[in-house]
Every structure is written in C-alpha cells, then in structure tokens.
Amino acid sequence: MTKANNFQRIRELNYLQKAVLASALIERMLPNYGLFSEATGFGDETLLRNALNVCWEKILLPKSKIDLEKQVEKVEPNVPELADFDMFGTYPAIDAATSLLSLMHGLMAQDDKEFVSVSKISQATVARFIEYQMTVEGEIADNTAVREHPLMQYEIEVLAELIDFVESMGRITSESVKALKKFAVVDGQTNIGLAL
C-alpha cells in the first residue's frame, strides 16, 4: 500500500473517523513521551495521558462541557524545547505532545485538517528515527532508504490497518472506541518500535 493511498483514504474519512484515527495514533506515540520524561525528568506523561483521555471523551460525547482549552494550557508547558536537551528522544517527545495539541485544537475548532496532520507527524517521527539510526550506523539515509526501511513499511502498514479498522467501526460508540484503542497498541510497541 503506498503512502499516498493512506493519506488519501484518511482525507475521505468523516470528521469523527478522522478524530478517532488521530487519537489512536497518539496512543502509539504517547509512550515515546513517557520514555523521554523518565530519562530527563522533564514533563508529566500522566498529564498528557489525561488530556488524551479527555479527547476520547469529547469525541464520544461532543455535547459535553469538557474544557479542552484548559487541557491545552496544561499540555503546552510540557512540550520540551529542542535546545534544552541533547538527546534524540526529544524529537519523538515533541511530536507526541504536538500531535496531542493538534488533536485538541482540531476538536475545539472542529477542523479535521488537524487530525490529518497527526498521521503525518507520526510518519515524520518514524522517518527521523530511521535517519538517526542510519546516520549512527554510518549509512546514507536518503528518501528511498527511509521509505523502504522495515520500520517505515511497518508504520505505513499499521496506519492502513487502523484506517481499515476505523472504516469498519460503523457508529462510534464507547465499545468501538475501546476496541480501537486496544487494536492501536496490540503489537506492544510505539510508532518507532520501542516496547510499551
């Protein structure tokens, strides 16, 4: 399945489907933030976890009085600054937090472009990780090498499977969301292949 196909398919999903897909992708990215937080003592993974839970709730109960603005205010100070940390893990941590902010902004503005950007951020995280690994190993990380790398192929496959799952969900209920959340992390690893 080509990359263009996945993004094309995402664009064809309805608003709620895009929202749950983005949330499922963040489920795979958030543990990267937790590992960074553990290693550096910066940030609060629990706070981001709670914010993501609130997003799931908002998707299921759109009329609820959930204050996403307050969640955004809590998450923003927990986004690491690249300049403050000299380690690769900063990038996936920033990507996870940024994706979560995109999801919240999308829900607040009812702008599904924000949801589409989450899948792009997730793929960019994987690409950067592959480039980093290849450079460390003294290999040349050109576009083809990155695209054909098993981890990128796997990211594209997982995205396609998540899209399939979302398309087959029918109505978005707490049951179908629970199943999607479980499915998103069934392989027991983050989007960059770290064990959960």
Side-chain angles (χ1 to χ4, degrees):
M1 182 142 305
T2 63
K3 194 189 290 194
N5 268 354
N6 275 347
F7 292 124
Q8 191 49 48
R9 289 177 67 202
I10 293 169
R11 281 191 278 275
E12 287 163 11
L13 297 173
N14 67 36
Y15 172 84
L16 276 178
Q17 287 174 321
K18 286 177 189 157
V20 293
L21 177 67
S23 304
L25 287 168
I26 296 169
E27 289 287 346
R28 293 179 63 77
M29 297 168 78
L30 201 54
N32 294 329
Y33 184 93
L35 292 167
F36 165 81
S37 187
E38 237 169 75
T40 60
F42 175 89
D44 182 353
E45 187 190 8
T46 309
L47 196 136
L48 272 71
R49 170 79 263 165
N50 292 343
L52 181 54
N53 291 344
V54 166
C55 290
W56 281 112
E57 208 175 308
K58 184 72 177 168
I59 292 165
L60 284 167
L61 307 164
K63 303 233 181 316
S64 63
K65 293 276 181 268
I66 291 170
D67 187 357
L68 285 173
E69 192 65 58
K70 193 174 276 163
Q71 294 297 324
V72 168
E73 283 166 20
K74 286 180 186 173
V75 169
E76 277 177 343
N78 283 274
V79 181
E81 287 291 334
L82 210 45
D84 296 346
F85 301 95
D86 186 23
M87 63 183 286
F88 178 79
T90 316
Y91 290 100
I94 291 171
D95 291 346
T98 305
S99 293
L100 182 55
L101 288 167
S102 285
L103 175 64
M104 291 193 281
H105 288 302
L107 289 170
M108 288 190 299
Q110 296 198 327
D111 177 3
D112 60 8
K113 282 191 215 57
E114 295 276 7
F115 306 148
V116 178
S117 74
V118 170
S119 50
K120 292 183 177 167
I121 294 170
S122 180
Q123 223 161 65
T125 307
V126 176
R128 191 183 283 124
F129 182 65
I130 294 167
E131 283 165 9
Y132 169 75
Q133 275 190 320
M134 290 180 81
T135 308
V136 166
E137 288 159 13
E139 294 171 36
I140 292 165
D142 60 12
N143 281 346
T144 310
V146 170
R147 205 175 31 251
E148 288 170 1
H149 191 281
L151 196 60
M152 180 56 80
Q153 289 301 313
Y154 186 64
E155 166 75 0
I156 293 167
E157 256 167 63
V158 168
L159 181 56
E161 286 171 13
L162 284 169
I163 297 167
D164 291 342
F165 194 100
V166 167
E167 285 174 344
S168 71
M169 275 167 82
R171 273 195 51 238
I172 299 200
T173 62
S174 58
E175 282 316 300
S176 63
V177 157
K178 207 175 285 171
L180 174 63
K181 281 163 91 169
K182 190 178 274 167
F183 182 72
V185 293
V186 74
D187 61 358
Q189 60 184 29
T190 74
N191 65 332
I192 56 172
L194 304 177
L196 295 173

